[in-house]
Amino acid sequence: MSLTVLMNAGPWLPVPPPGYGGIENVVATLVPELRRLGVRVVLASTADSTLPVDELMSVFPDGQFGALQRPYNQVCGISHAHLNGVVRALRERDDIDLVHDHVEAVGLAVLTAMGPGAGPALHTLHWDLGKHPDLYGYVDGGDRVRVNGVSASQLARAPQALQDHAVGHVHLATPLAVDADLRPPVEKSDHLVILGRITPGKGQHIGARLAHQAGFDLVLAGPVGPYRRPEELASAGPEAGQNPDVRYWREQVAPLVDGVRVRWVGMVAGTARDDLVASARATLFPLCWEEPGGTAVIESLAVGTPVVAIGRGCLPELIEHGRTGLLADDEDGLADLVPEASGLDERECRQEASRRFTPATMAERYVDLYEQVRRAAAASAA
Ligand code: UDP
């Protein structure tokens, strides 16, 4: 296939990320498959990205994730500076057939503002769309800029202007899903796990409360803002308190973390992360937001661990209640379901992952969307 895609992963973390990194993990999963299908990939990321690509372009030497806790006026320039680099490249070169953009809000705004003379673009919506109602309510990319969601439920909640630009959704994928159905079962321990950023939407405070009430062991894995390890957070300066996730941790989660019933192990990566999830009785998602795509949900299935969750956002699309997990309406319902998790068959989870959530499945769908977006842009330019 003769197609060159500028994959805009943004300035926050290198690709692949050194652990946590939802969007960067998606890009790291997608790009090798696209290249296997013959797509040439120019990656716009930070200079320390190590993912094999045809070309890497960057504005920042390394990930700017740590700056995200600063006040808005000190943060917003980062994504704009990165996009400046992307726009310059698009103006200077003529080999880019399409931009696949992953930069929340700013990517969509800049690509639409480039106007009719610019090439086609597909912007993937990774977040809860309630975050930017003003942008999404008035977006106008003509026939040139299209968006896709990471679940049907995410797009269903989008404002009309954004829905008018949508070409559908593509579920997230994980390399762990490849041949997941062929892997031998893993011996389960007694713990449950919550894997994800420690942030109010992911509901770690609910999980910790339930662990104490219902009497199960719970491991919390994930960073708190930019702090990856408990020691890092413990020695952070006063600026840490500006970060809403740090405040959430300190006020609502940490008081419930006793190091016995509920433990925080910080950010986990690689096989340590996979083993932690694979050996858990269930992965818990006590969600307080409409989970848009749920990478960690899919990863859990891939390693054979059922999901016990509040069924918000994409969860009902990803999990079949009673087969690959258990879905509750609220916190009380979740408490009732935890004991039932042991009755679920881990093979069903792994089979579901290898059927629906492999990188190849995701890449083939994106290639279809790239063609669709290019055709629509070409037809309107003719
Ligand atoms: N993750 C990780 N280590 C951690 C916590 C999370 O590697 O300690 C990864 C997790 O495996 C998943 C991603 O970070 O691949 C989080 O993506 P998800 O879509 O679940 O959450 P969000 O993008 O909302 O943060």
Side-chain angles (χ1 to χ4, degrees):
M1 180 187 310
S2 141
L3 180 71
T4 298
V5 171
L6 189 151
M7 186 71 63
N8 187 17
W12 304 115
L13 289 165
V15 182
Y20 169 76
I23 289 172
E24 296 76 11
N25 269 331
V26 174
V27 172
T29 303
L30 175 62
V31 167
E33 290 298 323
L34 289 176
R35 295 182 77 217
R36 206 176 49 77
L37 294 171
V39 177
R40 211 175 142 254
V41 177
V42 178
L43 177 66
S45 175
T46 53
D48 55 345
S49 284
T50 53
L51 184 75
V53 287
D54 296 285
E55 218 179 298
L56 173 66
M57 51 167 290
S58 57
V59 170
F60 291 93
D62 50 25
Q64 301 297 301
F65 189 74
L68 279 172
Q69 68 175 325
R70 294 194 201 136
Y72 171 77
N73 62 327
Q74 293 172 32
V75 176
C76 73
I78 295 174
S79 39
H80 287 274
H82 175 87
L83 258 299
N84 264 345
V86 170
V87 170
R88 198 176 312 122
L90 291 173
R91 294 237 153 97
E92 283 171 2
R93 51 197 291 174
D94 60 5
D95 62 328
I96 306 293
D97 297 307
L98 175 132
V99 178
H100 185 177
D101 178 67
H102 300 267
V103 178
E104 186 191 2
V106 176
L108 181 61
V110 169
L111 289 166
T112 54
M114 285 182 78
L122 178 67
H123 172 85
T124 297
L125 299 156
H126 285 277
W127 289 84
D128 175 1
L129 304 181
K131 259 178 101 181
H132 303 289
D134 303 311
L135 172 65
Y136 297 149
Y138 296 96
V139 64
D140 184 4
D143 292 318
R144 189 180 58 80
V145 181
R146 292 284 175 219
V147 303
N148 77 279
V150 289
S151 66
S153 69
Q154 178 202 33
L155 277 183
R157 286 188 303 275
Q160 191 57 49
L162 197 58
Q163 294 209 12
D164 292 345
H165 288 70
V167 288
H169 68 275
V170 184
H171 282 139
L172 300 166
T174 171
L176 296 167
V178 177
D179 294 336
D181 52 336
L182 305 178
R183 282 201 299 269
V186 170
E187 195 170 329
K188 295 287 180 192
S189 309
D190 219 27
H191 66 275
L192 273 71
V193 65
I194 301 181
L195 177 74
R197 288 173 292 136
I198 296 192
T199 190
K202 303 282 182 185
Q204 281 90 354
H205 63 298
I206 295 180
R209 205 152 57 207
L210 290 184
H212 288 290
Q213 279 165 8
F216 59 84
D217 292 342
L218 178 65
V219 179
L220 305 178
V224 177
Y227 304 104
R228 292 178 290 189
R229 315 251 10 115
E231 316 80 78
E232 274 179 36
L233 182 54
S235 60
E239 76 285 355
Q242 292 173 5
N243 186 302
D245 289 344
V246 172
R247 287 203 296 275
Y248 167 65
W249 164 258
R250 288 180 175 162
E251 289 161 20
Q252 296 194 56
V253 187
L256 300 167
V257 176
D258 60 359
V260 183
R261 191 53 99 189
V262 182
R263 293 186 293 133
W264 176 41
V265 295
M267 187 178 90
V268 287
T271 50
R273 178 196 67 178
D274 302 343
D275 292 346
L276 175 69
V277 178
S279 62
R281 215 156 30 98
T283 310
L284 203 58
F285 291 88
L287 299 172
C288 297
W289 76 331
E290 305 303 334
E291 181 72 34
T295 316
V297 176
I298 290 161
E299 290 165 347
S300 179
L301 294 181
V303 298
T305 299
V307 166
V308 178
I310 295 179
R312 295 183 66 163
C314 64
L315 268 291
E317 277 169 68
L318 306 183
I319 298 300
E320 191 182 322
H321 181 80
R323 188 167 72 86
T324 54
L326 298 164
L327 301 180
D329 291 335
D330 52 26
E331 180 177 344
D332 291 341
L334 197 61
D336 295 339
L337 292 179
V338 168
E340 290 177 38
S342 318
L344 298 175
D345 183 350
E346 73 158 272
R347 278 170 311 187
E348 295 276 357
C349 300
R350 290 189 280 109
Q351 279 166 8
E352 185 78 342
S354 58
R355 191 174 67 79
R356 293 178 66 197
F357 304 120
T358 61
T361 309
M362 176 169 73
E364 282 157 21
R365 177 97 172 100
Y366 270 117
V367 167
D368 282 350
L369 292 189
Y370 296 162
E371 291 306 330
Q372 199 179 317
V373 173
R374 290 182 69 212
R375 271 200 307 273
S380 95

